[in-house]
Each structure stands twice: as C-alpha cells, then as structure tokens.
Amino acid sequence: MTAKLIKGTEIRDQILKEIEEEVKKIKEEHGVVPGLVTILVGENPASVSYVTAKIKTAKGLGFNEIQDNQPEDISEEDLLALIDKYNKDDSIHGILVQLPLPKHIDEKKILNAIDPDKDVDGFHPVNVGRLMIGGSEVKFPPCTPAGIQEMIVRSGVETSGAEVVVVGRSNIVGKPIANMMLQKAEGANATVTVVHTRTKDLASHCKRADILIVAAGVPGLVKPEWIKPGACVIDVGVNRVGEKISEKTGKKIAILKGDVDFDAAKEIAGWITPVPGGVGPMTITMLMKNTLKSLKFKLGIA
Ligand code: GUN
C-alpha cells in the first residue's frame, strides 16, 4: 500500500475532544450547554441506527439531547407544529429531522419550516444560500461536506490551486462540497469540476484530479486507472452489498463497499479514505460541531 490512510475515526476522536472541552468551558462561563432535538418519524432501521448514534454522541459530549420519536402516520400538520414548538424553545439550538420521511409528508416543506438559525443539518435554502456566498456568511455547512473538508485539511493535503473533481451532484454532498472547495478560503481555493451521470467521459476528468471526491452511490464505480498517482481520494459511498455475521457481536451486519475500488486504488493514490471508517464517522461529528456553533452564535461568541 502506497497511500496514506485518512482515518475518519481518528479525526472524529480529535474533533469530539475539542468540542467536549469547549462545551465544558461554555458551561462554566455561561451556564448553558448545546441543546439538540432529533426527530425520528417511524422506524426505518437505517434511520433508527443513525439517530441512535447521534443521540449517543450528543449525550457523551454533555449536550442537552432530546429524542423525539413520532409514529409513521403522523400528519404533516402535526409535524410542522412540532417543529414550530422547537423553533420557539430557547433551550434548543439544533433541530434535526431524520430523512427520509414517510411518503405522505412533503420533505421540502418540513425542512423549510426549521428556523434557519437552528438548522444544524444546513439543508434550509437560507443556509444553502449562505454557503454559496461563503466567508462569514456561512453558519452551518452541511455535515458530510464539512467532514470531508476537515479530513482533507487535517491530513495536510494542499487544496489551494488543486484540481478537485467531484463525482455526483446531490444536494447533500456533491453540490455543497464543490461549492465549498472553490471558495476563496483556507482549505479551499481549488479549481473544481463536477461530473455526474450525464458526463461524457468520467474517466478523463477523474484522471486530472489532485483531489477526487466520489459521492455517486455506485459500488466500485471509480477504477484504479482513473486515479492520478499521488492523488487524494475521498470515498463518500456507503453501499450495502450484502450481510455478514459480526465477529465482535455475533449479530448480522451489512457488508459495506465504497464507490472506489479501494484495494487497487490504495496502490496508486497518495491518500485514501476507507469504507467503512472513512467519511462516515465525520457526519455525526460535524453535526455536533454545528450544534455547538449554534449556541455560540446565540451567545455572541462564535
Ligand atoms: N439521513 C441520512 N443522512 C442524513 C443527514 O445527514 N441528516 C438528516 N437529517 N437525515 C439524514
């Protein structure tokens, strides 16, 4: 293996420690802790598992964490009323509605109802606009892209003037990370290309990338010959390709595969993220960071 492994678990631990210390200091100086509500509608197993991890992390950091589980058949009106309640609750600084929502609920309407100043997911159009403008305008960068940028910066990869190629154009990863990397800012200043399902020659674009960020949701899409020797490869793909029995717990767990052919790519890249244990652990971490940030904005110390 020639590539340096970018371990999301290690970077997560560093950042969580930094957050924990800040939470303690703010509690001592201001007598408040960050408040996060996680709203889970129904019992989608993947959502239950994500929300459980978010709650555990928040509690471990000393946050005031409210778990608000709602039945699958909650009406859109009742869900909107619930959001309104938390918008008005001064002890809550972050509101997270776990996605996806059941089909009878308009996801856009729900996300747009969250107070943009409590939108720690960064999905509200106001926060998308703030991100686009950049600089001090940005309040809550969306969690997965923010995690990707932290991984690149903390690994010492040069971004200024780098050719960044983003594979995928989703609202949650592709579009925001492309926007973040082109900003006139530290950890950015890159030349960015976004490629997608209609791009004519994916390979030729990927081959130019000093930093290749892949969020396509297609297992093994990126072939080793598409990688420029020494490039930094960030694999956002978390594809469930089967099941196995965990050696640790004896329980059935999903077999996860990234969008990049890891075994071959690690012999060519300069840096690479594994799946699992790469980008995945960073998303929850950045949610915690955004919730702390929200409290700091409120206290005027951000
Ligand atoms: N479902 C999958 N990922 C996410 C996320 O980052 N935020 C929310 N709210 N729901 C999700």
Side-chain angles (χ1 to χ4, degrees):
M1 164 146 175
T2 57
K4 293 190 194 96
L5 206 56
I6 304 179
K7 291 183 188 159
T9 45
E10 274 178 16
I11 300 173
R12 169 195 64 193
D13 292 347
Q14 276 171 23
I15 298 175
L16 289 182
K17 201 160 155 252
E18 292 163 15
I19 296 174
E20 197 175 0
E21 279 164 15
E22 237 187 306
V23 170
K24 268 191 205 141
K25 192 163 169 263
I26 290 174
K27 193 178 177 183
E28 276 167 23
E29 289 174 5
H30 299 271
V32 281
V33 294
L36 173 68
V37 60
T38 43
I39 301 173
L40 172 65
V41 179
E43 290 170 4
N44 173 322
S47 293
V48 170
S49 130
Y50 284 135
V51 165
T52 306
K54 287 170 186 174
I55 292 166
K56 193 174 157 210
T57 308
K59 284 189 173 160
L61 292 170
F63 285 19
N64 167 28
E65 160 66 45
I66 295 178
Q67 178 181 4
D68 194 330
N69 290 354
Q70 294 294 327
E72 178 86 21
D73 62 355
I74 186 175
S75 68
E76 191 175 274
E77 197 187 354
D78 286 351
L79 189 54
L80 287 168
L82 193 66
I83 289 168
D84 188 49
K85 182 182 95 170
Y86 289 119
N87 279 344
K88 290 175 177 151
D89 183 338
D90 278 343
S91 71
I92 293 298
H93 312 102
I95 300 172
L96 179 128
V97 179
Q98 187 64 29
L99 304 177
L101 289 168
K103 295 227 161 23
H104 67 280
I105 295 175
D106 181 347
E107 215 159 80
K108 228 193 270 173
K109 211 166 163 184
I110 298 299
L111 295 181
N112 290 2
I114 297 172
D115 178 347
D117 291 342
K118 295 190 179 187
D119 168 40
V120 285
D121 255 330
F123 292 164
H124 191 287
V126 166
N127 285 317
V128 176
R130 286 170 170 163
L131 189 79
M132 185 78 147
I133 295 165
S136 61
E137 204 63 41
V138 181
K139 283 206 148 178
F140 306 119
C143 302
T144 302
I148 292 170
Q149 195 176 32
E150 283 280 354
M151 294 177 100
I152 294 170
V153 170
R154 287 183 188 238
S155 301
V157 175
E158 181 59 79
T159 59
S160 183
E163 290 281 344
V164 170
V165 175
V166 178
V167 183
R169 54 178 160 180
S170 70
N171 287 331
I172 292 184
V173 184
K175 282 195 246 175
I177 190 63
N179 182 43
M180 287 161 79
M181 295 309 291
L182 63 78
Q183 295 292 342
K184 196 171 188 172
E186 243 178 80
N189 283 318
T191 303
V192 180
T193 305
V194 182
V195 298
H196 47 77
T197 45
R198 299 292 174 95
T199 297
K200 281 186 187 144
D201 184 359
L202 272 182
S204 70
H205 291 284
C206 293
K207 280 178 189 173
R208 280 191 297 105
D210 300 311
I211 300 173
L212 181 62
I213 301 170
V214 193
V218 181
L221 171 75
V222 172
K223 309 290 175 252
E225 60 272 22
W226 298 9
I227 295 169
K228 182 174 169 180
C232 171
V233 178
I234 306 287
D235 190 351
V236 192
V238 185
N239 305 292
R240 287 162 192 255
V241 294
E243 283 183 337
K244 64 177 179 185
I245 303 292
S246 162
E247 281 176 22
K248 255 198 229 162
T249 62
K251 285 185 187 163
K252 241 192 222 174
I253 54 166
I255 300 171
L256 302 177
K257 196 167 186 292
D259 289 351
V260 177
D261 177 353
F262 178 83
D263 287 334
K266 73 183 192 316
E267 305 301 335
I268 302 161
W271 294 263
I272 193 164
T273 59
V275 177
V279 176
M282 295 300 294
T283 302
I284 294 179
T285 307
M286 301 319 287
L287 175 73
M288 301 301 137
K289 195 161 176 176
N290 276 350
T291 307
L292 171 63
K293 229 174 154 188
S294 178
L295 170 61
K296 287 167 70 180
F297 280 125
K298 197 176 162 207
L299 294 171
I301 56 169

